[in-house]
Amino acid sequence: MQKTVMGKTGFEVNPIGLGTNAVGGHNLYPNLDEKVGKELVRTGMQNGLNFIDTAFIYGEGRSEELVGEVMKEENNRHDMILATKGSHKMVDGEYIHDNHPDYLKQCVDNSLKRLQTDYIDLFYIHYPDNETPKYEAVGALKELKDAGKIRAIGVSNFSAEQLREANTDGYVDVYQGEYNLLSRDAERDIFPYAIEQHISFVPYFPFASGILAGKYDKDTTFTDFRKNMPHLQGEQFIKNLEKVDQLKQIADQKGVETAHLVLAWYLGQKPIDVVIPGAKKPEQVLANLKAGEIKLNEKEWHAIDRIFK
Ligand code: NAP
């Protein structure tokens, strides 16, 4: 697999990374088996994957701990580009977001412990708060970068305006936001600025939580947080499945999996260097890694674009 450079971070990454909210993310998915979670991370690492995305909130620290355990067992910390996120703070039994410089520094120290490492390659502010000026929040991360605790600065779920404020001093390396064929606002709101500023855009929910991987049908039901997602319910679900059917036809003509076609389509966009599909089984990780081998020609890229315009 050919590696690519991730924007101005200089990180050399396999463009197919791994999202780990289903690795120890017990607060998001019921009945997760941690052994399977560790195994899917290990399988990826042993098969050329080097970009791992986690966060404190995935299992309230448990995802980070499990990823840290696998890295220790595989003795491969220095081969991995490890991204994590923080901002959630428990107050009176509920999570709020806190971007105060002191709190972000605390988040990084806690993540370092859970991941059993002395540096984090990419630390994102997971969500904005309403109080902290965004350039001050990012200023705290710049101090941590200078101190060697983190190597690159990211923000996630910031509005276009908050991103600009965060990047006042040009310190933001990576932006992570929701983006997939069914949810394309970022093309208008974030992409132009990201391209101009050489900020790498990491799309989350690349499979729109599974539907774009092409294996759901009208009888599929959900028991986890997906049961509240409008695009997976009722009429909208049926309409989206019809679009996925058109996608499947293009995949069949090309002799590839629908899931691979989707990932390759994202990687054909300027600000996107790496994708982080989630997985619940090692086989899905192995399957997704194959997407890195697929190249779309312009005709194919536009045909997919039109289905979901
Ligand atoms: P996703 O990538 O859109 O969907 C992942 C799901 O698709 C898997 O759990 C699996 O679900 C299915 N799948 C994956 N590979 C497949 C394959 N090859 N064939 C068939 N089905 C396949 O959703 P996500 O995992 O929620 O999001 C990706 C990552 O983005 C997360 O893990 C997390 O790291 C990150 N994220 C970040 C934020 C943020 O606020 N920054 C928010 C959400 C997510 P089933 O097996 O159940 O079908």
Side-chain angles (χ1 to χ4, degrees):
M1 156 54 53
Q2 202 158 5
K3 289 198 176 148
T4 190
V5 176
M6 189 177 184
K8 59 184 172 179
T9 64
F11 298 155
E12 285 189 27
V13 292
N14 181 333
I16 309 296
L18 173 67
T20 62
N21 67 6
V23 176
H26 302 289
N27 51 343
L28 303 172
Y29 299 99
N31 310 316
L32 281 182
D33 181 335
E34 293 193 352
K35 268 203 209 118
V36 175
K38 281 181 75 172
E39 217 34 56
L40 72 86
V41 174
R42 194 185 319 277
T43 299
M45 287 173 171
Q46 291 178 346
N47 286 277
L49 184 144
N50 76 334
F51 187 83
I52 312 262
D53 183 89
T54 182
F56 158 73
I57 199 63
Y58 307 158
E60 299 169 301
R62 196 61 191 139
S63 175
E64 290 182 321
E65 284 172 357
L66 295 173
V67 169
E69 281 175 26
V70 181
M71 277 194 310
K72 198 107 202 168
E73 287 157 15
E74 294 294 302
N75 192 22
N76 65 7
R77 171 66 190 99
H78 299 301
D79 301 326
M80 292 298 134
I81 301 293
L82 188 56
T84 191
K85 326 181 192 73
S87 73
H88 290 79
K89 184 183 195 177
M90 184 62 88
V91 176
D92 299 332
E94 269 184 47
Y95 277 115
I96 58 151
H97 295 287
D98 189 345
N99 298 173
H100 189 280
D102 293 342
Y103 187 65
L104 292 177
K105 288 177 182 172
Q106 212 178 301
C107 288
V108 168
D109 283 338
N110 292 338
S111 287
L112 285 168
K113 279 193 207 115
R114 288 188 291 265
L115 288 160
Q116 301 188 57
T117 183
D118 55 6
Y119 68 96
I120 291 163
D121 297 283
L122 167 60
F123 185 86
Y124 297 92
I125 303 172
H126 202 156
Y127 279 86
D129 67 10
N130 294 323
E131 291 80 30
T132 316
K134 296 299 154 243
Y135 55 88
E136 275 181 22
V138 164
L141 297 189
K142 176 68 167 67
E143 285 177 32
L144 296 174
K145 190 173 172 178
D146 292 342
K149 289 190 178 186
I150 68 172
R151 293 176 66 208
I153 295 173
V155 298
S156 179
N157 298 302
F158 279 32
S159 67
E161 198 184 326
Q162 287 166 328
L163 170 60
R164 281 168 193 271
E165 196 195 332
N167 198 37
T168 304
D169 299 303
Y171 294 153
V172 177
D173 299 302
V174 182
Y175 179 93
Q176 186 175 129
E178 179 171 352
Y179 179 66
N180 57 58
L181 281 162
L182 292 171
S183 176
R184 296 177 62 175
D185 290 353
E187 284 171 16
R188 183 196 57 216
D189 299 340
I190 307 289
F191 281 18
Y193 184 72
I195 292 168
E196 178 198 301
Q197 296 291 316
H198 209 35
I199 292 171
S200 192
F201 183 99
V202 177
Y204 74 70
F205 290 155
F207 292 138
S209 298
I211 184 172
L212 292 171
K215 60 166 195 190
Y216 299 162
D217 61 32
K218 62 179 178 25
D219 299 321
T220 306
T221 51
F222 303 94
T223 52
D224 50 41
F225 71 100
R226 293 179 288 188
K227 66 176 184 272
N228 299 320
M229 291 182 154
H231 74 285
L232 300 177
Q233 314 300 324
E235 240 175 77
Q236 225 179 307
F237 186 41
I238 303 293
K239 275 197 186 137
N240 289 335
L241 286 171
E242 284 164 9
K243 291 181 184 171
V244 175
D245 274 341
Q246 294 181 54
L247 201 56
K248 277 185 190 160
Q249 286 171 24
I250 300 179
D252 288 347
Q253 276 163 17
K254 203 173 164 66
V256 301
E257 298 283 325
T258 306
H260 299 172
L261 197 69
V262 169
L263 296 179
W265 189 85
Y266 301 134
L267 291 169
Q269 305 251 52
K270 194 90 192 245
I272 300 179
D273 302 305
V274 58
V275 290
I276 50 164
K280 304 213 178 64
K281 307 173 203 152
E283 306 86 88
Q284 290 174 336
V285 181
L286 280 180
N288 293 336
L289 274 168
K290 294 211 184 90
E293 290 156 22
I294 293 174
K295 292 274 170 290
L296 299 181
N297 62 37
E298 244 179 76
K299 201 171 150 217
E300 291 162 340
W301 194 92
H302 286 293
I304 296 168
D305 185 49
R306 275 195 301 274
I307 300 171
F308 293 91
K309 202 74 182 169

